[in-house]
Amino acid sequence: MQEMRIVSVNGCLGYGFEASSLAAGCELDPAMVGADAGSTDPGPFYLGSGQSLVKPPQIRRDLGLALKNARAAKVPLVIGSAGMGGGEPNLQLFKKILLEIARDEGLHFKLATIHSEIPKERVRDAVRAKKIVPMADVPELTEEAVMDSVRIVGQMGTDPFAHALDKGADVVLTGRSCDTAIYAALPIARGFDPGLALHMAKIMECGAQCAIPLAPNDSLLGTIRKDHFLVRPLHKQRICTPDSVAAHTMYEQGNPHILYEPEGDVDMTGADFEQVDEQTVRVSGSRFIPTPRLRIKLEGARLAGFRSFTIAGIRDRTVIANLPIIEETVRAAVKRNLGGVPDSDYKLGFRYYGRDAVLGLLEPERNNIPHEVGAMVEAIGKTQEIADHVLSLARSSLLHCPFPGRKTTAGNLAFPASPSDTSAGAVYEFSVYHLMDVDDQLALFPLELESI
């Protein structure tokens, strides 16, 4: 093949996209249509709970359009990290919607489902065999952390995708995967340079976010050739520029020059970005460095407790100036009135939006007293009952807490809603965020083929 065209639906399936953009891309004789459908960006809750950040009606709209366009063009539809977290409940939710669409639209195709959930016992054995290393700023993995996890997934690379496509799959639906693997697997399997393929995939996985105006909720066309690739948005009112594409190359990268993938590293220090026409940028010079060992990223989540919170406004500079004293007083009052609940059974947190809620102690303007702040008080307890109890005590104490220079007799807080307190349910935290040595991706990520 002299070139291969690939269409990216958008940055996350369910975020929406211009239907006309996808339709235009599918008229350009692409080899496949791809979409990413998950991430760790929203935190560990969606892996731990098995729920999806993107709601079923959103998934149904985007998936329906993507599936119908890909089937009409007679090219594979490839979807990674289905259902957000990529665990088995996430994957099955997405698959259920896919089958409903196929039934309603009378569509027929070969479906490949690739599972990414990994048994805890297998991960525990890898810990014992010293085949797991931590990511940066992550502690060593313990057997206890593994076994406490609700579920653990592996982030698959290109091999499982390529294997499914080689088996003749018309639709590939996977659990947790590398974003790049969705778009790089087919070009690499067809003999294109892996450095160029992975670099192009890195840009494509966010849809038209590399364009101006940036838009993760729109479609992008990638065209790979022997010594370069091209990217351009599929909406006529968007353009790519060398700056916009180079900037997205560095997006979410700890090292702006190196792209780290299970298959190896992509050295982009020699990458060149060139304007071809008003909408299109040509990229060349990316160099692939094969890895000496195959390593797969693991992600695991465990239950950390249950959350309750309240949000209120403060519009009194004297109250705001005394927040450190008030917070200390409230913490003491909660502990005093909890009636024997151990300190280890709860956590109490305060955020003050308008003062330092985002950066905390790193906020350079923290000591400048604003005229108004929004206070978020959060309790995390061993049970929902404990969390609700702690929050109720904290809210009432904060509302009426005295402080130096106080002139009012009540009401430090203004609540926007009644009831003021919200019981938010389960809280999850990442328990596994490590790399595991692997001999064979195909054995780790089982493939299920069926005719729909």
Side-chain angles (χ1 to χ4, degrees):
M1 296 181 77
Q2 297 301 307
E3 70 174 31
M4 176 184 288
R5 298 188 190 96
I6 295 175
V7 173
S8 168
V9 176
N10 64 358
C12 182
L13 210 65
Y15 278 16
F17 58 88
E18 297 290 339
S20 59
S21 298
L22 177 60
C26 288
E27 291 174 358
L28 296 173
D29 192 26
M32 62 160 273
V33 174
D36 188 13
S39 175
T40 56
D41 289 356
F45 175 83
Y46 300 97
L47 175 60
S49 68
Q51 297 179 35
S52 175
L53 172 70
V54 182
K55 304 310 176 192
Q58 295 173 275
I59 297 172
R60 188 180 304 277
R61 184 266 183 188
D62 283 13
L63 179 57
L65 286 170
L67 182 61
K68 285 186 285 185
N69 275 273
R71 296 313 308 133
K74 298 181 180 179
V75 297
L77 173 63
V78 179
I79 299 169
S81 297
M84 194 56 61
E88 200 60 26
N90 308 101
L91 183 62
Q92 293 305 322
L93 167 66
F94 208 94
K95 183 177 177 180
K96 178 177 179 289
I97 297 172
L98 176 76
L99 297 181
E100 289 172 352
I101 294 169
R103 180 196 63 209
D104 294 345
E105 298 293 334
L107 298 174
H108 303 267
F109 50 85
K110 182 181 284 188
L111 171 64
T113 305
I114 308 177
H115 305 268
S116 65
E117 200 163 313
I118 300 175
K120 291 188 283 187
E121 292 76 14
R122 180 164 188 167
V123 180
R124 179 200 60 197
D125 292 345
V127 171
R128 292 176 177 175
K130 301 189 183 304
K131 292 185 176 181
I132 292 182
V133 296
M135 299 281 284
D137 301 319
V138 173
E140 294 286 339
L141 186 59
T142 65
E143 292 186 31
E144 180 182 16
V146 171
M147 302 311 291
D148 282 348
S149 301
V150 175
R151 62 181 51 87
I152 300 172
V153 295
Q155 196 175 22
M156 70 185 76
T158 57
D159 283 356
F161 287 92
H163 180 60
L165 292 169
D166 186 57
K167 291 288 186 181
D170 300 307
V171 178
V172 179
L173 191 65
T174 81
R176 189 72 173 109
S177 68
C178 293
D179 303 341
T180 51
I182 301 165
Y183 300 99
L186 186 59
I188 291 174
R190 297 286 175 84
F192 287 95
D193 181 86
L196 292 172
L198 287 164
H199 189 173
M200 184 177 79
K202 163 64 183 171
I203 295 168
M204 296 193 71
E205 54 98 358
C206 281
Q209 193 160 321
C210 65
I212 300 172
L214 68 84
N217 55 343
D218 208 352
S219 305
L220 186 77
L221 178 70
T223 303
I224 189 167
R225 295 172 179 165
K226 180 181 179 181
D227 60 356
H228 68 274
F229 64 87
L230 307 168
V231 289
R232 75 169 175 90
L234 286 163
H235 194 289
K236 293 180 180 179
Q237 301 303 314
R238 304 188 197 283
I239 65 170
C240 281
T241 70
D243 283 355
S244 70
V245 176
H248 194 73
T249 292
M250 294 183 283
Y251 176 65
E252 297 182 327
Q253 292 297 109
N255 184 332
H257 301 297
I258 304 291
L259 181 64
Y260 300 102
E261 298 295 333
E263 297 79 14
D265 301 338
V266 181
D267 183 353
M268 299 178 290
T269 53
D272 185 56
F273 302 83
E274 176 187 357
Q275 196 80 50
V276 174
D277 58 36
E278 186 179 12
Q279 282 193 297
T280 309
V281 168
R282 178 183 188 271
V283 183
S284 60
S286 307
R287 187 172 64 90
F288 181 66
I289 306 171
T291 182
R293 66 167 64 87
L294 178 63
R295 279 180 169 167
I296 294 297
K297 181 190 174 193
L298 302 178
E299 297 164 359
R302 65 184 164 203
L303 184 67
F306 297 83
R307 175 181 283 116
S308 187
F309 71 90
T310 188
I311 295 175
I314 304 173
R315 197 186 186 282
D316 183 327
R317 280 193 168 94
T318 309
V319 175
I320 296 169
N322 282 278
L323 282 174
I325 295 172
I326 294 173
E327 184 178 319
E328 183 180 347
T329 304
V330 169
R331 288 184 184 278
V334 168
K335 183 173 183 177
R336 191 169 57 249
N337 290 289
L338 266 177
V341 175
D343 292 352
S344 59
D345 281 4
Y346 75 93
K347 294 178 182 178
L348 180 60
F350 298 82
R351 292 181 183 270
Y352 305 109
Y353 287 91
R355 190 190 76 168
D356 59 0
V358 177
L359 294 181
L361 295 176
L362 297 176
E363 173 55 62
E365 299 185 23
R366 189 169 190 263
N367 295 321
N368 296 341
I369 306 302
H371 76 277
E372 177 183 82
V373 299
M376 177 180 174
V377 185
E378 175 191 56
I380 296 177
K382 189 175 182 179
T383 66
Q384 187 68 62
E385 183 181 23
I386 290 174
D388 293 347
H389 185 191
V390 170
L391 180 73
S392 182
L393 288 171
R395 183 246 308 135
S396 60
S397 298
L398 182 57
L399 176 63
H400 299 290
C401 185
F403 54 86
R406 183 178 185 179
K407 296 180 180 179
T408 59
T409 56
N412 296 330
L413 304 174
F415 294 99
S418 176
S420 60
D421 301 356
T422 299
S423 298
V427 178
Y428 294 88
E429 62 186 7
F430 283 118
S431 49
V432 182
Y433 215 76
H434 296 71
L435 299 173
M436 181 171 71
D437 291 344
V438 175
D439 296 324
D440 180 9
Q441 284 197 67
L442 301 186
L444 191 66
F445 302 111
L447 169 69
E448 177 187 356
L449 275 172
E450 54 189 313
S451 294
I452 306 302

